[in-house]
Amino acid sequence: MHRRPVLLAISPRGVGFAVGVAFRCFTSTHAAHPLICSGSAVRYFPRNIVRVFGLRRVHQVPAEKPQGPVKSAKALVLNAGSSSLKFSVFNVDLRRKQDMAELNQPCGIQTANAMLLATGQVSDIGLESSTISYKAFIDDEQKFSTHIHVDDHKGAISEVLKLLRDPKLGVILDPAEIAVVGHRIVHGADKFNTATILTDDVIKAVEDASALAPLHNPPNLLGIRVAREIFKCPQVGVFDTAFHATIPPENYTYAIPLQLQREHHIRKYGFHGSSFCFVTGATAERLSMKRTEMNAIICHLGNGASMACIKQGRCIDTTMGLTPLEGLVMGTRSGDIDAGVVTHLINALGMSPKEVDTLLNKRSGLLGLTGHSNMQAVHAAADNGDADAALAEKIFVERIRKYIGSFLVKLEGELDALVFTAGVGENSERIRAMVCQGLGRLGMVLDTTKNTGASGVKEPAIISGVHSRTKILVVPTNEELGIAMQSVAAVGLIEPMLSPKEEAKLLMEAAKRRAEESVNGEEDEHMAMAVGGPKGVMIAASNRSEMTDSSIVEVGLMYGILPRVSKLGYFRPVAYHHADKRVNLMREVFGIGDDPETMYGVTVAQCSAMLAKKEDDKLMALILEKYQEYRQRHDFVVVSGLNQKELPQLGQDLNIRIADALNLPMVWSTDAGAFPSAGMTVSQSILSEISMSMLPGKQLKHVEVAASSSATSNVIGDEVQAQLKESKIDVIATQIDNRLRVRTLREVANVLGADVLTGHDALDTHHVGRLVVATMQVPDLLKYILAKSVEEDGGHQKVTRNQIQELKAEFKKFDKEHNGKILLEEVGTLMRVIGREMTDFEEQSVMAELDKDGTGKITFQEFLLLLSRRQEEPIPGSAPLVVTHISRIDVLLSLLMASRSQAFPKIAGVLLTGGSKETLPESVHAILAGLDVVGTPVLIIPLDTFAATQRIHGLHGLAPRLLPTAKVKLQAAQELFSMFSSSDFMERLVGGSSRRRDMTSHLFQHHIFLAARRQKQRIVLPEGDDWRVLVAAGELLARDLCDLIILGDRQRVLSLAKKYHADLSKATILDVKGMSWVEKDVMVETLLKLRGTKGMTREKALDIIDQDANYFGTLMMYLHRADGMVSGACHTTADTMRPAMQIIKTEPGASLVSSVFFMLLPERVYVFGDCAINVDPSAEDLAQIAASSAATAKAFGISPRVAMLSYATGQSNTGPIVDKVRKATELVQDLITDPEIAIEGPMQFDAAVDPEVAAVKVKGGASKVAGQATVVIFPDLNTGNNTYKAVQQSTRCVAIGPIMQGLRMPVNDLSRGCTVDDIVNTVVITCIQASTAKARDVTPPQ
């Protein structure tokens, strides 16, 4: 596949630093181009890719200092015990920049960008029984274990190094590959608050702290000394106590004489720091939070157990103290104990201090209470009726709960996460459940189903319920990885990045400097007008290629900007004429309601006249005046420059001058894949265009330049990159989608001025590929179209060896002088003869590039070279347009009949030449009227066949390339920027434009489609015999939004899809009646299992499966063969929902199924509930509907402010309905623990949504809901259903729904009057619901 990458080069002076993107590719010699990354780093290649490309291991030890930043580094982690040595090797990705605020705090680094290469342990060092175990992760996991004899730690590390360098099992070639060695050190006293490079002074300080950890620090030091001898890289100490260095004095100071404490360093230190550090980072990442903004309580529950209280990413308290003995009950340690117990044991029982120490550290805890130190054994004993074991469980749990309460007070109730980690925390669902029991009033609600499935997870898992204010998580710890990451950061290998606040400050300072420089000491009127006002960007197209049209860039950017601003504007400084097509395009596509007269400055005619009279200043003043007036009404304005057809000689220069006058950055659009300018290479042409705007002769003040270009990777190479860099221009590469090259039949009709005789509805969906001029007889014509279709289906058009003779024969026909050359001016005609398209502009470019000797001729070899350069993938969905004279009615009618056959290839349409509607016989009109349902368009034009085909060939050069009805092109333009431009780039472009607090309809639709595409789900559509469903399915698949299963008779589905031009090639079409008995039996058995007690028999089950597609689709969901279902286009709500209620059932915590509509008004998205399901809900039901609706709103990014509607507001009235709503409002408060959800009622609709009405009707102080509600709950179905329809019809807004809520898996019901867009929107919503259900793990078990 050959796609054209597009370059966007953005000056750092303007919209901010550009994101550099390059693609790793292999040339013919498999030489790899450099990989350039920005934003989130590229992760490691999957193992299958590694194997395919032979990239098993790459060892790079540069002989000299590398010129660029190192991309990764190997880190060795050592944990030396008295008779053991644990080790791990990680490859750490250095390309992900880290936030400075993260790096500056203890253990402050993210944790998810490293790969484990090898790990192992040497045991029983110095004994005959010593062994070494080893795992390497190369292609597949490799294990190794053997007995060895090592006398000391030096011998142990030497054996480890042998394994790491082993030809088969090793992961390094030389010790020099290890960039850093990280050592776990248990105690750093109060001297170290972060990972520290181990100098002689640091090692001396660790020795001094050994008195506080006599069993651990000495062997740690032994490992450090040996490693320093063997590995010459930096050695880093990572202290268990460092993470707790931020604990304030009031929390680490004991109430004993201060002098004693200070002299002997007696204080709370805390332990398990490496684990807490890792888990803090992993939790923040899982919750998509900055760790510097997160509050958490982390429970490290293993044989050794402790807890940490995290406030804004820093530890403020922990349970262990001077030693690991304080705090929680542990496997063999007592935890908190009255100090008087120690003196009592010594005085009353005569125990020595050492005996007491051994008792409390090694014979107490769970072991002392039950005889078992392992929690699993304690659980087993308790299950067998052991009362002591059951008591031990309670003691263990209550100590944890005591500290949760204590820490919650320290956090002032603001808790984001309660985290369980380590052996017991990760694997004992019983302990987690006991700890969380009764914490609902504190905002912590455990989901029992999620908790059951979370034990032993490999990734962080959320186990809290949907209404839990605090997230409860199980997060697997990885202390070794944490040590590796901290060690790499300590030696400065990871580059810090500026925080958004720091970066914004720099950009503001740069803007201020530009403003000061631009006026040379005098106030610039233009800049003064711009300060504090709305922002914008100017887009201009180059003269290099007809394929490049700034409308593509404009539409793509506007789609990207639209969700980020409240009011987006579009302005053309110079319009082609008063009814400018580009202005009309943007008004229709983006719903811009401005007067077209205000959306442009002057016309091309007016501009030309003023320039001819040397009235340049007057021209700029007029444009500026209209622009300033227009932009005051908008948050952001996209300004469209002149294109090459409007003012060919002056366009580029004038665009630059206008951008300068309007004080706007520019996006420069050009096509690097086009033929180069005369006398230049492609690279020179690109650089010439971009540098043109930087020439001193232009006297620019502060115009920032951006360029958009398209070419293959060998064109956009180092030469272009380097020269742009010298001009302070960075490059963003994207790819032009071939859908942008499609020519719709409507475009052809517009260009030709043709009348449409039939097939009006298909003009935008039929794409014109090659032209077939029908001068032959009908049988030969049909045979020709069939043959060409087979040829094109085989792949791209290519020049093969078998075709060379045929091409040479065609070439000779144009070789009039018989000298092996043809005139360059005839190349275009020859290309069309052999079925290749070429525009007039490309012909001119060919002449400029290939006429090297000035003869105006081309050889056959040069012609073949030209063909090879123009190889492109077929335009998606294109079909031939048949052109024939009006006299060939036989051709017309034969093609219309043939197009009804599935065996005949699709044609884009038929163009009749040499006539008009009036000259076409009445009999033909009558036949066409009867065949209109076929959908094959027929056009007619007075031009002769030759003139018509020439006009169509030149279509690329005619503006506009985009029409408001061209959905495929518009979607491609939108996706071009959403896929290849980062959100960071778009945010910088928009800059300081105003933001809305509430979700806008544009933002809502943008988010749901983006979310569906990122997490594709498998949706079943049971109504395969409805054309609307099939057309919607085609659009969903074309936009890659989901995977689809369509139920119905396969032939009928395909026939109907062809009739309505829906491409279902990517869908799974399932004919229930044609299924095997084996498959049906699975369904029957499932239905019997679920409904056997309700009178279901095998015969009934088989009949239901054969006859009821909704039941079949629901069973597919239950069996996890589909993730959701959308039905109702031709079924009642009861038919759609009954199977779901019987089979899928409600999710935990939901007592009923209800529905909402998303009402997409221009300024805000409302959630209306319930408008489809519950006829007359009780107060309890209404409370459940409100809680579910609030949760749904929040899940879709809508801030939930819930108004419980009635005919009275507040206490102004009483009555059955008002009282019901009032009671429901009270009940729902107990269901909602999320403080972000505000619910008030009863309230009238106008008081809920209109601030002015709310100010009058709602008494008693400020309300969080009145006048600003986003979710409205109706008291009954009659009110809700009528209201949503009234709002929809009166405002013409989009209403998406009904969306069902409360089921384990999503099933959504369509209105029987639904449109194709309704179906598309509902399926997308269903995809997001399915993804959410999976994340919450509420789907039914098989």
Side-chain angles (χ1 to χ4, degrees):
M1 182 180 293
H2 302 285
R3 287 194 171 188
R4 287 181 161 181
V6 171
L7 281 181
L8 287 178
I10 292 90
S11 164
R13 295 183 302 157
V15 294
F17 298 105
V19 180
V21 181
F23 299 97
R24 182 180 294 274
C25 62
F26 287 86
T27 64
S28 57
T29 58
H30 294 281
H33 290 279
L35 180 64
I36 304 171
C37 303
S38 178
S40 61
V42 175
R43 298 295 179 91
Y44 298 90
F45 288 124
R47 290 175 181 168
N48 59 332
I49 301 299
V50 172
R51 285 196 292 266
V52 168
F53 287 97
L55 302 177
R56 180 175 176 272
R57 279 195 302 275
V58 178
H59 306 288
Q60 294 178 331
V61 186
E64 51 186 290
K65 185 177 180 180
Q67 298 301 309
V70 179
K71 299 302 181 186
S72 64
K74 292 186 175 70
L76 172 64
V77 176
L78 296 178
N79 182 359
S82 58
S83 62
S84 67
L85 177 73
K86 296 179 181 178
F87 63 92
S88 297
V89 179
F90 294 90
N91 196 45
V92 181
D93 187 353
L94 308 178
R95 292 169 293 188
R96 276 182 49 179
K97 295 182 178 181
Q98 301 296 328
D99 191 296
M100 179 68 78
E102 307 278 22
L103 289 174
N104 284 344
Q105 65 173 326
C107 312
I109 188 167
Q110 293 299 324
T111 55
N113 44 352
M115 174 181 285
L116 178 63
L117 301 180
T119 187
Q121 178 173 341
V122 181
S123 305
D124 296 334
I125 296 174
L127 303 176
E128 290 295 329
S129 59
S130 57
T131 60
I132 185 168
S133 59
Y134 177 82
K135 290 181 184 178
F137 304 87
I138 306 170
D139 295 336
D140 296 304
E141 182 178 314
Q142 305 287 333
K143 294 183 179 181
F144 175 82
S145 180
T146 187
H147 287 282
I148 58 172
H149 179 70
V150 288
D151 294 325
D152 51 26
H153 283 74
K154 184 174 183 178
I157 293 180
S158 297
E159 290 295 326
V160 169
L161 186 57
K162 287 181 184 178
L163 275 175
L164 296 179
R165 298 179 63 184
D166 184 85
K168 293 183 178 180
L169 300 176
V171 293
I172 62 173
L173 292 178
D174 191 277
E177 288 184 53
I178 300 297
V180 62
V181 179
H183 297 268
R184 183 198 179 195
I185 302 175
V186 169
H187 217 301
D190 54 1
K191 297 183 182 297
F192 304 105
N193 61 5
T194 188
T196 305
I197 297 177
L198 293 167
T199 63
D200 291 339
D201 290 341
V202 172
I203 292 173
K204 177 64 168 60
V206 174
E207 289 177 345
D208 293 340
S210 293
L212 298 172
L215 299 180
H216 298 92
N217 274 25
N220 293 161
L221 286 164
L222 187 59
I224 291 168
R225 293 190 178 97
V226 173
R228 293 181 81 191
E229 293 178 19
I230 296 176
F231 298 96
K232 303 307 179 183
C233 59
Q235 313 275 319
V236 175
V238 180
F239 300 88
D240 270 12
T241 53
F243 183 78
H244 307 295
T246 53
I247 296 176
E250 62 269 24
N251 289 339
Y252 71 64
T253 304
Y254 293 119
I256 60 176
L258 287 174
Q259 184 177 355
L260 183 66
Q261 294 189 63
R262 290 165 181 166
E263 288 180 0
H264 299 281
H265 306 287
I266 300 173
R267 51 158 287 183
K268 175 183 284 191
Y269 288 104
F271 298 86
H272 295 134
S274 296
S275 174
F276 286 128
C277 170
F278 179 90
V279 172
T280 301
T283 302
E285 189 168 274
R286 177 64 180 85
L287 298 181
S288 301
M289 298 180 68
K290 288 186 177 181
R291 64 184 293 163
T292 52
E293 298 174 354
M294 184 184 72
N295 291 351
I297 296 174
I298 302 177
C299 306
H300 178 106
L301 309 179
N303 193 265
S306 69
M307 294 169 61
C309 181
I310 313 299
K311 185 173 185 178
Q312 296 179 343
R314 293 171 175 258
C315 180
I316 63 169
D317 205 355
T318 187
T319 55
M320 285 184 172
L322 174 71
T323 72
L325 182 60
E326 186 180 353
L328 305 180
V329 175
M330 296 168 243
T332 62
R333 298 188 188 116
S334 65
D336 288 343
I337 195 169
D338 182 356
V341 173
V342 175
T343 57
H344 178 74
L345 292 174
I346 293 173
N347 296 330
L349 302 182
M351 298 178 69
S352 67
K354 183 176 182 180
E355 289 174 331
V356 173
D357 182 77
T358 300
L359 173 70
L360 297 181
N361 276 288
K362 296 184 178 181
R363 293 165 47 198
S364 298
L366 296 177
L367 180 65
L369 293 170
T370 68
H372 306 288
S373 61
N374 181 282
M375 183 60 77
Q376 286 184 329
V378 174
H379 286 334
D383 290 340
N384 289 328
D386 187 331
D388 292 338
L391 176 62
E393 287 179 334
K394 293 178 181 179
I395 296 171
F396 182 88
V397 166
E398 285 306 307
R399 190 71 56 82
I400 297 169
R401 287 163 61 89
K402 182 182 80 170
Y403 276 107
I404 289 176
S406 171
F407 289 174
L408 196 60
V409 170
K410 294 176 185 290
L411 297 173
E412 299 176 344
E414 296 295 327
L415 179 63
D416 298 306
L418 173 64
V419 184
F420 294 92
T421 190
V424 176
E426 294 173 28
N427 296 292
S428 177
E429 63 183 75
R430 181 190 297 190
I431 293 298
R432 295 194 297 263
M434 292 174 69
V435 169
C436 294
Q437 186 176 1
L439 299 184
R441 292 187 178 274
L442 298 179
M444 289 169 271
V445 180
L446 185 72
D447 186 308
T448 55
T449 303
K450 292 180 183 178
N451 182 45
T452 301
S455 294
V457 293
K458 302 300 182 184
E459 299 290 339
I462 296 175
I463 59 173
S464 49
V466 292
H467 300 305
S468 180
R469 183 175 72 246
T470 296
K471 298 296 184 185
I472 307 173
L473 299 93
V474 176
V475 178
T477 189
N478 192 331
E479 295 180 63
E480 290 76 16
L481 176 55
I483 293 171
M485 298 299 298
Q486 292 176 66
S487 300
V488 169
V491 296
L493 292 179
I494 294 182
E495 180 183 358
M497 67 179 178
L498 296 175
S499 69
K501 186 175 181 180
E502 291 169 326
E503 189 170 13
K505 182 179 179 182
L506 288 179
L507 292 175
M508 290 295 291
E509 291 172 352
K512 184 177 180 180
R513 286 195 301 271
R514 289 200 307 273
E516 294 170 351
E517 294 166 0
S518 69
V519 298
N520 295 321
E522 298 178 2
E523 182 178 1
D524 184 340
E525 180 183 357
H526 300 167
M527 176 62 79
M529 295 173 70
V531 171
K535 295 191 175 182
V537 64
M538 183 165 178
I539 304 173
S542 78
N543 288 346
R544 295 194 58 249
S545 169
E546 294 184 23
M547 269 300 292
T548 296
D549 186 304
S550 61
S551 61
I552 297 171
V553 181
E554 290 170 11
V555 168
L557 279 175
M558 288 187 71
Y559 270 120
I561 295 167
L562 191 63
R564 293 171 166 82
V565 298
S566 295
K567 192 166 181 60
L568 177 62
Y570 180 84
F571 185 84
R572 294 211 75 193
V574 182
Y576 193 70
H577 45 63
H578 292 286
D580 188 85
K581 291 184 178 180
R582 193 73 62 81
V583 170
N584 292 336
L585 169 71
M586 300 303 173
R587 290 182 77 248
E588 291 191 42
V589 172
F590 296 99
I592 299 174
D594 302 323
D595 182 353
E597 288 294 319
T598 68
M599 297 177 68
Y600 72 92
V602 297
T603 65
V604 169
Q606 292 171 328
C607 177
S608 299
M610 281 186 275
L611 290 174
K613 296 176 183 178
K614 306 293 184 182
E615 297 177 340
D616 297 38
D617 291 339
K618 180 181 177 181
L619 172 65
M620 293 301 164
L622 182 58
I623 291 173
L624 180 61
E625 181 181 357
K626 290 199 69 175
Y627 171 72
Q628 290 289 350
E629 181 181 353
Y630 181 77
R631 78 175 199 157
Q632 294 304 320
R633 302 191 300 271
H634 300 84
D635 298 318
F636 193 94
V637 180
V638 172
V639 179
S640 172
L642 286 155
N643 65 42
Q644 57 179 319
K645 292 291 183 179
E646 292 167 333
L647 279 175
Q649 302 303 319
L650 300 173
Q652 290 189 12
D653 178 64
L654 193 57
N655 283 331
I656 295 167
R657 291 164 59 192
I658 291 171
D660 184 29
L662 303 185
N663 188 31
L664 292 175
M666 288 184 68
V667 171
W668 198 270
S669 174
T670 186
D671 184 3
F675 296 97
S677 303
M680 293 185 180
T681 64
V682 175
S683 299
Q684 289 170 339
S685 296
I686 299 172
L687 294 166
S688 173
E689 286 189 332
I690 298 173
S691 62
M692 176 182 176
S693 62
M694 309 288 284
L695 293 177
K698 303 297 178 183
Q699 296 181 343
L700 301 183
K701 295 174 182 176
H702 46 264
V703 175
E704 288 73 42
V705 180
S708 167
S709 177
S710 125
T712 51
S713 57
N714 64 320
V715 173
I716 308 174
D718 295 338
E719 175 193 357
V720 178
Q721 297 270 1
Q723 294 189 47
L724 289 178
K725 190 173 183 180
E726 289 180 6
S727 299
K728 307 298 182 184
I729 298 175
D730 294 318
V731 176
I732 298 177
T734 60
Q735 291 182 340
I736 287 291
D737 193 309
N738 268 331
R739 288 176 295 172
L740 292 169
R741 296 192 295 113
V742 302
R743 295 176 296 177
T744 66
L745 205 53
R746 189 180 298 278
E747 291 177 50
V748 173
N750 284 0
V751 168
L752 300 178
D755 289 326
V756 182
L757 299 177
T758 185
H760 292 77
D761 294 340
L763 293 179
D764 295 310
T765 57
H766 280 219
H767 304 155
V768 178
R770 56 188 171 83
L771 297 184
V772 176
V773 181
T775 58
M776 58 192 82
Q777 295 300 311
V778 169
D780 294 330
L781 174 64
L782 298 180
K783 181 178 179 181
Y784 175 81
I785 293 174
L786 280 166
K788 281 292 182 182
S789 174
V790 173
E791 177 184 322
E792 290 172 358
D793 287 343
H796 299 179
Q797 300 179 33
K798 296 181 180 179
V799 182
T800 65
R801 190 166 294 180
N802 295 332
Q803 295 174 313
I804 289 180
Q805 294 304 318
E806 182 181 342
L807 289 171
K808 188 173 289 187
E810 294 293 342
F811 186 87
K812 286 181 178 180
K813 294 178 183 178
F814 292 82
D815 183 8
K816 296 180 176 60
E817 297 180 5
H818 305 288
N819 61 357
K821 295 183 178 181
I822 67 172
L823 294 173
L824 281 169
E825 62 190 34
E826 294 187 338
V827 168
T829 307
L830 174 56
M831 293 285 270
R832 294 180 189 114
V833 167
I834 65 174
R836 306 295 174 91
E837 304 250 353
M838 181 176 254
T839 67
D840 293 338
F841 181 83
E842 288 177 321
E843 291 182 44
Q844 296 168 12
S845 300
V846 169
M847 293 179 192
E849 182 186 21
L850 298 183
D851 190 15
K852 295 181 174 64
D853 53 8
T855 62
K857 296 179 180 180
I858 183 175
T859 66
F860 181 66
Q861 290 300 321
E862 289 171 328
F863 178 68
L864 287 180
L865 178 63
L866 175 63
L867 283 178
S868 66
R869 284 183 53 177
R870 300 191 72 254
Q871 298 307 311
E872 294 173 336
E873 58 184 297
I875 299 174
S878 62
L881 174 63
V882 180
V883 184
T884 192
H885 193 266
I886 190 174
S887 61
R888 296 298 305 273
I889 301 301
D890 59 330
V891 171
L892 171 64
L893 298 181
S894 298
L895 287 172
L896 292 179
M897 294 304 297
S899 65
R900 302 183 68 175
S901 169
Q902 292 193 25
F904 191 75
K906 175 185 175 181
I907 61 173
V910 180
L911 174 63
L912 300 177
T913 62
S916 64
K917 282 185 175 181
E918 291 72 25
T919 59
L920 191 69
E922 287 296 329
S923 58
V924 178
H925 274 295
I927 294 173
L928 292 179
L931 290 176
D932 191 35
V933 293
V934 174
T936 300
V938 179
L939 313 180
I940 192 166
I941 188 174
L943 292 175
D944 61 39
T945 301
F946 179 78
T949 55
Q950 289 299 105
R951 290 280 296 277
I952 296 170
H953 281 304
L955 179 60
H956 283 306
L958 298 174
R961 291 192 66 240
L962 295 178
L963 296 176
T965 54
K967 292 179 67 175
V968 171
K969 287 187 178 182
L970 294 171
Q971 288 170 8
Q974 177 185 10
E975 292 168 9
L976 172 70
F977 280 80
S978 66
M979 290 170 61
F980 294 105
S981 66
S982 66
S983 60
D984 179 61
F985 165 73
M986 297 306 301
E987 290 293 340
R988 290 175 179 176
L989 183 66
V990 174
S993 60
S994 63
R995 302 290 205 280
R996 292 187 57 85
R997 182 179 64 179
D998 291 324
M999 177 77 73
T1000 65
S1001 59
H1002 288 301
L1003 185 60
F1004 181 80
Q1005 290 181 301
H1006 172 78
H1007 279 323
I1008 63 173
F1009 279 81
L1010 186 62
R1013 189 176 291 114
R1014 285 178 174 173
Q1015 299 184 9
K1016 288 175 63 177
Q1017 303 295 311
R1018 192 173 177 87
I1019 306 300
V1020 59
L1021 303 176
E1023 298 166 317
D1025 53 354
D1026 190 297
W1027 70 269
R1028 296 168 297 173
V1029 173
L1030 300 186
V1031 173
E1035 181 174 337
L1036 288 161
L1037 294 169
R1039 299 177 69 176
D1040 198 30
L1041 294 169
C1042 61
D1043 296 322
L1044 292 177
I1045 303 170
I1046 301 173
L1047 304 185
D1049 180 271
R1050 182 176 182 81
Q1051 292 304 316
R1052 175 169 172 74
V1053 170
L1054 291 175
S1055 176
L1056 199 59
K1058 181 180 179 182
K1059 176 179 176 180
Y1060 289 94
H1061 315 293
D1063 182 2
L1064 302 183
S1065 58
K1066 295 181 181 179
T1068 299
I1069 301 173
L1070 192 58
D1071 187 346
V1072 178
K1073 294 183 179 179
M1075 285 180 60
S1076 68
W1077 279 102
V1078 175
E1079 284 292 321
K1080 284 187 180 180
D1081 194 56
V1082 172
M1083 297 286 188
V1084 169
E1085 289 298 329
T1086 302
L1087 196 53
L1088 285 173
K1089 181 182 75 173
L1090 296 172
R1091 304 293 295 168
T1093 59
K1094 304 293 183 180
M1096 181 65 63
T1097 65
R1098 180 172 291 276
E1099 291 73 19
K1100 287 182 180 179
L1102 186 59
D1103 186 58
I1104 287 174
I1105 290 168
D1106 279 337
Q1107 301 299 325
D1108 196 322
N1110 285 317
Y1111 266 100
F1112 189 89
T1114 307
L1115 283 167
M1116 292 189 73
M1117 292 170 58
Y1118 182 83
L1119 294 171
H1120 294 278
R1121 299 178 185 178
D1123 303 313
M1125 185 176 81
V1126 174
S1127 184
C1130 50
H1131 287 92
T1132 65
T1133 298
D1135 289 339
T1136 299
M1137 298 308 301
R1138 185 183 301 110
M1141 295 294 294
Q1142 294 178 355
I1143 296 171
I1144 301 298
K1145 301 183 178 180
T1146 57
E1147 66 180 359
S1151 59
L1152 82 166
V1153 174
S1154 58
S1155 72
V1156 294
F1157 275 84
F1158 290 105
M1159 308 298 291
L1160 275 56
L1161 276 73
E1163 298 299 318
R1164 182 182 290 180
V1165 176
Y1166 288 100
V1167 177
F1168 283 13
D1170 178 354
C1171 304
I1173 298 294
N1174 297 284
V1175 177
D1176 187 15
S1178 64
E1180 290 75 14
D1181 293 341
L1182 211 55
Q1184 179 66 62
I1185 292 169
S1188 298
S1189 301
T1192 297
K1194 189 171 183 180
F1196 283 87
I1198 300 170
S1199 179
R1201 297 187 292 275
V1202 185
M1204 307 291 287
L1205 297 186
S1206 182
Y1207 59 80
T1209 298
Q1211 303 297 324
S1212 64
N1213 208 334
T1214 60
I1217 295 178
V1218 181
D1219 293 342
K1220 178 177 75 171
V1221 174
R1222 187 174 289 118
K1223 181 180 179 182
T1225 305
E1226 295 172 357
L1227 293 173
V1228 74
Q1229 306 298 333
D1230 295 331
L1231 298 177
I1232 300 295
T1233 60
D1234 190 340
E1236 295 181 7
I1237 299 176
I1239 301 180
E1240 297 178 13
M1243 191 178 296
Q1244 292 162 286
F1245 186 84
D1246 56 354
V1249 301
D1250 190 324
E1252 293 183 3
V1253 175
V1256 175
K1257 292 189 174 184
V1258 179
K1259 310 295 183 182
S1263 168
K1264 295 181 180 180
V1265 176
Q1268 53 185 338
T1270 55
V1271 181
V1272 293
I1273 305 301
F1274 297 99
D1276 52 48
L1277 183 60
N1278 179 62
T1279 309
N1281 191 268
N1282 280 292
T1283 303
Y1284 105 77
K1285 289 178 179 177
V1287 172
Q1288 182 185 30
Q1289 292 301 313
S1290 61
T1291 65
R1292 296 297 174 187
C1293 72
V1294 176
I1296 304 177
I1299 304 303
M1300 303 302 167
Q1301 51 192 17
L1303 290 168
R1304 287 179 176 269
M1305 298 177 76
V1307 174
N1308 282 314
D1309 177 43
L1310 298 165
S1311 166
R1312 287 189 290 282
C1314 62
T1315 65
V1316 170
D1317 286 341
D1318 291 336
I1319 300 171
V1320 170
N1321 287 330
T1322 303
V1323 170
V1324 170
I1325 292 287
T1326 306
C1327 290
I1328 298 171
Q1329 287 181 300
S1331 177
T1332 303
K1334 289 180 181 178
R1336 293 178 11 232
D1337 197 20
V1338 298
T1339 58
Q1342 291 191 37

